[in-house]
Amino acid sequence: MLAYDFAKASNCNHPDSWDNLHMAGTDWMKSFMRRHPTLSLRKPENTSIARIAGFNKESVEKFYSNLEQVLRKYKFSPRRIFNLDETGVTTVLPSPKVVAEKCKRQVGQITSAERGSLVIVVCIVNAIGNFISPCLIFPRQTYLPHFIEGAPHGTLGLASKSGWMTASLFDEVLHHIKKSINCSTEDPILLIIDNHETHASLAAINFCRDNGITMVSFPPHTSHRLQPLDVSVFGPFKTYCNVSFNDWMINPENNNRKISILNIAKLISTPFYKAFTPENIVKGFKITGIHPFNKLAFSETEFVAVEKEEDGPTQQDVSEPMPSTSLAPSASALLNRNSLTPESIRPLEKS
């Protein structure tokens, strides 16, 4: 519609079909894309309003302020700075892209089922690129040892009726960390986690205090930008899992068999080792400004969307009506073609 409005206001020649539809046609769009090869058609990643609003300058500055105080007080070396996060792996993952003929209208790929069961993978990494063996939470009432057959070495297996993390299970995860790195009040660690309620039970806080674990939490709805695991590790991990699951499905030995939660541990083992590399892990800590510590990891422009929402409506927002889809004749007459811009036809929407 903007192209049509601009053409009308500029008195440019345009097809009659534009007037009928009150918008430019697909032929113009294709030509525009050819004239600007740096542009491409992209599918935006869904981001909730809560996440957009949560990642604001004030919240991020408070996190860095808390982190700075802890680092100054305890002087943690990078090998003692850890990040813990959870991700879900379902028995039905999206199929990887394949090469197919253009004339084919539909390309099929066998999957385990329409809907899958979810297994939670709890991951712990430190700022020098090392990881602790993961924890797997299975959606079962009782945990059985064969659930983790083929899992990465040292994996802790747990079970939850709901399939999700609970306060009691998080206590077991903390014991797993204690056993793996032998932290103590004399040799403490920093554990950076999200602020989920299961991470803040009294038992967990007491255990951390008695065993030299200092916890710092991210502000709500900011972990997608501040958490090292989210930023640079979980993406490759999920990609490798897709390939691993797809290879399992097309293997003749597994023909007509569904992937169950009992296969998860083995299927994620290779993807885990391929994704949890020192390069990926260290990159996550650096991008988020956790190590090396960097309060300026995010530029002012990355908070623009939120700052506009917080500023509230301006006087112009209140007094001026929204521009119509076409210019009135009086307004069109006032515009000089040399100074006409798309913004003058349709200003950017205000938050």
Side-chain angles (χ1 to χ4, degrees):
M1 295 177 65
L2 176 59
Y4 170 72
D5 293 340
F6 190 75
K8 289 284 289 183
S10 304
N11 294 321
C12 293
N13 293 328
H14 57 273
D16 294 337
S17 60
W18 288 24
D19 292 321
N20 297 332
L21 299 174
H22 297 288
M23 63 185 300
T26 56
D27 54 341
W28 175 87
M29 185 62 185
K30 293 177 181 178
S31 299
F32 180 83
M33 297 293 288
R34 284 195 296 268
R35 292 194 301 272
H36 299 81
T38 58
L39 302 179
S40 64
L41 192 63
R42 303 284 298 276
K43 182 178 180 180
E45 181 180 353
N46 293 334
T47 305
S48 69
I49 294 176
R51 282 195 165 189
I52 294 176
F55 189 74
N56 58 75
K57 187 175 181 179
E58 181 181 1
S59 296
V60 173
E61 286 182 345
K62 285 182 179 180
F63 167 72
Y64 284 127
S65 178
N66 291 337
L67 180 59
E68 182 179 15
Q69 291 180 30
V70 171
L71 292 176
R72 287 184 182 277
K73 181 177 180 180
Y74 296 100
K75 296 180 173 54
F76 290 108
S77 66
R79 74 179 183 90
R80 308 303 281 176
I81 300 176
F82 289 83
N83 173 219
L84 178 150
D85 194 20
E86 305 148 19
T87 187
V89 177
T90 177
T91 54
V92 180
L93 287 177
S95 301
K97 292 183 178 180
V98 296
V99 177
E101 296 180 75
K102 287 186 176 181
C103 59
K104 292 207 171 189
R105 299 186 62 182
Q106 183 175 356
V107 178
Q109 171 66 52
I110 187 171
T111 61
S112 176
E114 294 296 330
R115 298 181 63 182
S117 299
L118 190 71
V119 174
I120 300 298
V121 185
V122 184
C123 305
I124 310 104
V125 296
N126 72 358
I128 63 171
N130 294 333
F131 61 82
I132 295 175
S133 300
C135 307
L136 300 184
I137 302 177
F138 295 89
R140 291 291 185 270
Q141 182 74 42
T142 304
Y143 167 74
L144 299 175
H146 67 271
F147 286 1
I148 59 170
E149 183 178 346
H153 179 72
T155 295
L156 172 66
L158 302 169
S160 167
K161 185 176 181 180
S162 65
W164 299 100
M165 175 66 80
T166 64
S168 60
L169 291 184
F170 185 66
D171 292 343
E172 296 193 48
V173 172
L174 292 175
H175 281 81
H176 176 66
I177 295 174
K178 160 73 176 176
K179 180 180 178 181
S180 300
I181 60 179
N182 196 29
C183 56
S184 64
T185 53
E186 291 75 26
D187 189 14
I189 67 167
L190 172 61
L191 184 62
I192 307 176
I193 56 177
D194 61 41
N195 64 341
H196 195 270
E197 61 180 358
T198 58
H199 300 160
S201 68
L202 181 60
I205 294 173
N206 288 334
F207 181 85
C208 290
R209 182 187 59 194
D210 296 339
N211 292 276
I213 301 175
T214 300
M215 292 196 293
V216 173
S217 67
F218 298 105
H221 310 297
T222 60
S223 61
H224 65 294
R225 299 295 302 276
L226 290 175
Q227 185 138 235
L229 283 165
D230 268 342
V231 170
S232 64
V233 183
F234 282 162
F237 175 61
K238 291 295 184 68
T239 300
Y240 291 132
C241 282
N242 290 346
V243 176
S244 177
F245 280 48
N246 183 69
D247 291 347
W248 192 92
M249 289 300 303
I250 64 177
N251 191 323
E253 296 179 1
N254 303 317
N255 190 29
N256 297 324
R257 290 175 55 197
K258 293 182 179 180
I259 295 177
S260 74
I261 62 169
L262 300 182
N263 304 121
I264 293 290
K266 184 176 182 179
L267 289 176
I268 69 167
S269 184
T270 298
F272 182 86
Y273 288 120
K274 289 179 70 68
F276 282 72
T277 62
E279 181 182 6
N280 287 345
I281 297 170
V282 170
K283 182 179 178 182
F285 280 91
K286 182 178 180 179
I287 290 175
T288 56
I290 294 175
H291 181 78
F293 182 70
N294 179 16
K295 282 185 176 181
L296 304 178
F298 300 98
S299 64
E300 293 288 336
T301 57
E302 295 180 81
F303 303 113
V304 167
V306 177
E307 298 300 330
K308 284 184 177 180
E309 290 180 3
E310 293 177 349
D311 288 342
T314 63
Q315 183 64 31
Q316 186 178 12
D317 292 328
V318 176
S319 61
E320 293 185 7
M322 289 293 292
S324 59
T325 55
S326 60
L327 291 176
S330 57
S332 179
L334 294 175
L335 289 172
N336 185 311
R337 183 169 180 173
N338 293 330
S339 61
L340 193 63
T341 64
E343 289 81 3
S344 65
I345 302 300
R346 183 176 300 164
L348 293 175
E349 293 185 5
K350 301 177 178 58
S351 300

